[in-house]
Amino acid sequence: MLSSERLAGERRILLVGLGLIGGSLAAALRAAGHRGEILACDRDSNEICLGQRMKLIDGGSTQLAGLVPGASLVVLCVPVMAMQGVMAEIAPLLDDDAVVTDVGSTKGAIRDAAIGVFGHMPPNLVLGHPIAGSEKSGVAASNPELYRDHKVILTPEPDSDPEAVARVAAMWSVCGAQLLDMSVARHDEVLARTSHLPHLLAFSLVDSLARQDERLEIFRYAAGGFRDFTRIAGSDPVMWRDVYLANRDAVLEALDEFEAGVARVRAAVTAGDGEAMLGIFTRASHARHYFNTLLKQTSYQTMEQQNVRYRALPGGQVQGRIRVPGDKSMSHRSIMLGALANGVTEVEGFLEGEDSLATLQAFRDMGVVIEGPHQGRVTIHGVGLNGLKQPPGPLYVGNSGTAMRLFAGLLAGQAFDTELTGDASLTKRPMDRVANPLREMGAVIDTAENGRPPLRIHGGQPLKGIRYEMPMASAQVKSCLLLAGLYAEGETRAIEPAPTRDHTERMLNGFGYKVERQGAEAWLTGGGSLEACPIDVPADISSATFFLVAAAITPGADLVLEHVGINPTRIGVINILKAMGADLSISNEREVGGEPVADLHIRYAPLKGIDIPEDQVPLAIDEFPALFIAAANAEGMTRLRGAEELRVKESDRIQVMADGLAQIGVEHEVVADGIDIRGGAYGGGLVDSHGDHRIAMAFSVAALRAQGEILIDDCANVATSFPNFVALASEVGMQVENLGAVAPGQEAS
């Protein structure tokens, strides 16, 4: 049932308290078209009269007795300390089917008040708290938009009536609010830190300054930052006194944590410890950025599932000279090894995508001072192999399987326990492929069912080097073992069934840690150290691939991609496109920080279908979604075999790509380890990327030769690897538009 339909069944809504919160709720309900009766009770008869004149309420009184009978939904909008008295007054007057809720900013005290009145928590009492407000007060300040896009927290009990919860949720939903469920204890703990403590600090600071003799001069010269921070000290003193009395324990706990933090800052300032101050300030600066992204509701920071849709139009061109973002694999590794090195590591070209930022934040959480990123520049103050500290909670790595698997290796050798978690997509990916060999080395690791995340790594375990023959070609598994080998006794050897990218080996050698290689075997000896060195991250060949394919299939295309990493273990896509007939040349080859880079120049040329050599599959494993689009535009059949690894990426890339190809009319046949694709004309359609960033970008490229527009659902994770993809696509002449969040499967407007 829709929220508006459910709310329409409320015969009478009674607001007990008609100030800003109650008045704005009435205004929002009216603006949403609610036609039922809205009454109010307030001890100030003038507020009732004003509410009627503003046409917010149909009537009201200063007495509850005549208003409660017949009310189907009662909303308590009175101060927290007044709740028990109001509940005692309404208890004998409530109809049997009436639902009661509240708007108080503390929940434990209100639940205690309810139990004191009713003897238990009634199933029809659903406690709630809208996270919204204003410096203004009274019904005159009522704002119908006050709750729109703001969160409302409901704290139902285990035995709450589901229908009562649904009715309260419906009321807030029609006001445009975003609903969250939370336990009473968790609510009070969170609000003590995010709302109650900041107000307390603002009151205290302004009071301290107001006590000084020169207060007028101080206030005269105070800048905008002081005004912004202390604005909340103008809030209702009586209300906040009640809040602190009601939520005393949680507020005191938050205050203890704050005082400990102030003591750390004071100690750093007293000692002239610039490094400690920089660590505190960079963590705070990044936390502020994190808060801003929460407000903007990006996928990485909120961990909420939003269906972001792209619209890609047929036609367009692919011309110009561009540089795609830095290599994601190397961005991850530069932060990891820089943090474990002795000294300061300067990184250029760092990918400021959500996955790489998650890795950066994880090391900040483990006590590493990191400056930036700013326009791709990051400065890492390394702490050495044994300098990491236990993080305050689980380490969140977003959508990155690379980060989780590499972290598993380096954290297996730490003295402290850690937990690794990620987004909904990552929690479906297999982690036993790293957990099992790490266990052979002596690590103690717990996983969720079927070897899935989260990973719980028990610290303090002595590790021993092993010789491990990898059952699959995976740079992530190899890198995980080598990182664990840094902490292991003796040699750690990884033997690959086929070549994979060797960024970890190259970068470790760049940091002065010797990694040897012979044939398919790479090994190192534990107990050494890393020394800081500069890192210049090349442009990501995986990101470049989308534009290589775009140019390869578009008549008249002429594109140069600058400073692209052409590591021999990553150039499968170049080899495959050339075998298909692409006009692709490599120029300006050079080496930067031990990694080969070059400019790639590609012009349009007709492509032909091929049997993709199996020895190229591991060298192009991340590039196949785009290569499937090249195959759909090639003459004849393209066959892929030996690509089972594609089924355990961010999605089952073989099946999800096949489903998308079917939607736009591309002839194909799926097999267990690959796919056959017959090139030819195809149309438009609605494609579900299943949250896989590479599939979303691949079908954006497909639109260049489509006969109709292609809509691509679930594109939020493009920000994990290529945050400026849409802008760069437009720069070269493609017609791709981010439509923002829409309902899954919804038709385009």
Side-chain angles (χ1 to χ4, degrees), residues 37-88:
E37 188 178 29
I38 301 178
L39 301 180
C41 180
D42 196 281
R43 62 184 180 182
D44 187 342
S45 59
N46 292 325
E47 293 285 87
I48 299 293
C49 293
L50 181 55
Q52 288 179 280
R53 288 200 302 272
M54 295 173 67
K55 298 185 178 178
L56 301 179
I57 59 175
D58 298 299
S61 169
T62 58
Q63 302 298 318
L64 283 167
L67 301 175
V68 177
S72 59
L73 182 58
V74 179
V75 186
L76 306 181
C77 308
V78 298
V80 172
M81 302 305 286
M83 287 287 182
Q84 185 160 356
V86 172
M87 288 182 187

Side-chain angles (χ1 to χ4, degrees), residues 79-416:
V80 172
M81 302 305 286
M83 287 287 182
Q84 185 160 356
V86 172
M87 288 182 187
E89 192 172 349
I90 68 171
L93 304 173
L94 290 168
D95 289 2
D96 291 341
D97 64 345
V99 171
V100 181
T101 187
D102 80 303
V103 299
S105 65
T106 67
K107 304 277 59 123
I110 298 175
R111 181 175 61 182
D112 290 345
I115 293 172
V117 171
F118 297 98
H120 63 286
M121 268 296 288
N124 65 332
L125 173 56
V126 181
L127 302 184
H129 177 205
I131 311 297
S134 167
E135 292 178 69
K136 300 177 181 178
S137 60
V139 71
S142 297
N143 176 9
E145 297 295 309
L146 186 65
Y147 306 111
R148 184 163 301 282
D149 298 325
H150 283 248
K151 290 179 172 59
V152 172
I153 301 173
L154 300 184
T155 59
E157 300 291 322
D159 56 354
S160 292
D161 180 1
E163 177 62 20
V165 176
R167 285 165 62 183
V168 173
M171 177 188 72
W172 289 116
S173 292
V174 300
C175 297
Q178 300 169 357
L179 289 162
L180 298 174
D181 277 2
M182 199 177 283
S183 71
V184 165
R186 179 61 175 160
H187 169 277
D188 287 358
E189 174 187 303
V190 167
L191 267 293
R193 286 160 174 78
T194 60
S195 175
H196 304 165
L197 179 62
H199 279 81
L200 189 68
L201 299 179
F203 281 125
S204 177
L205 175 60
V206 175
D207 180 56
S208 296
L209 293 177
R211 288 171 178 266
Q212 298 180 18
D213 290 340
E214 300 89 3
R215 61 186 180 276
L216 295 180
E217 286 298 307
I218 290 173
F219 289 143
R220 179 176 293 122
Y221 295 113
F226 177 83
R227 178 199 61 213
D228 292 341
F229 175 70
T230 59
R231 172 185 58 80
I232 55 178
S235 302
D236 183 351
V238 174
M239 179 191 78
W240 282 103
R241 177 205 62 190
D242 290 352
V243 166
Y244 296 129
L245 290 173
N247 201 28
R248 183 189 64 180
D249 292 345
V251 169
L252 288 175
E253 183 178 344
L255 192 57
D256 286 343
E257 293 171 358
F258 175 76
E259 289 175 344
V262 170
R264 286 192 293 271
V265 175
R266 183 184 181 91
V269 173
T270 300
D273 189 344
E275 186 84 353
M277 283 187 272
L278 187 61
I280 294 167
F281 299 159
T282 53
R283 284 194 299 274
S285 177
H286 189 77
R288 173 62 184 174
H289 170 74
Y290 173 77
F291 173 66
N292 282 337
T293 56
L294 276 174
L295 294 180
K296 295 175 184 175
Q297 299 182 337
T298 66
S299 59
Y300 153 57
Q301 302 288 15
T302 62
M303 304 178 223
E304 294 173 359
Q305 297 303 299
Q306 284 190 322
N307 177 37
V308 172
R309 174 177 290 174
Y310 285 0
R311 173 193 281 132
L313 300 178
Q317 57 185 9
V318 185
Q319 295 182 341
R321 191 177 189 95
I322 60 173
R323 179 168 173 173
V324 300
D327 185 285
K328 184 165 73 162
S329 298
M330 292 185 63
S331 293
H332 283 305
R333 289 164 172 83
S334 68
I335 298 296
M336 291 180 177
L337 298 189
L340 299 177
N342 299 313
V344 178
T345 295
E346 300 281 353
V347 180
E348 297 280 347
F350 177 78
L351 170 65
E352 295 184 40
E354 293 181 346
D355 282 354
S356 306
L357 292 173
T359 293
L360 189 152
Q361 179 60 26
F363 279 97
R364 279 194 172 118
D365 288 343
M366 290 188 287
V368 180
V369 176
I370 302 176
E371 300 176 61
H374 177 68
Q375 297 181 344
R377 294 190 298 275
V378 179
T379 301
I380 309 161
H381 298 252
V383 297
L385 274 176
N386 298 300
L388 297 178
K389 298 176 182 177
Q390 184 165 15
L395 298 176
Y396 177 75
V397 297
N399 186 245
S400 179
T402 298
M404 181 164 283
R405 291 176 178 133
L406 269 60
F407 264 122
L410 70 88
L411 292 173
Q414 303 303 321
F416 49 80

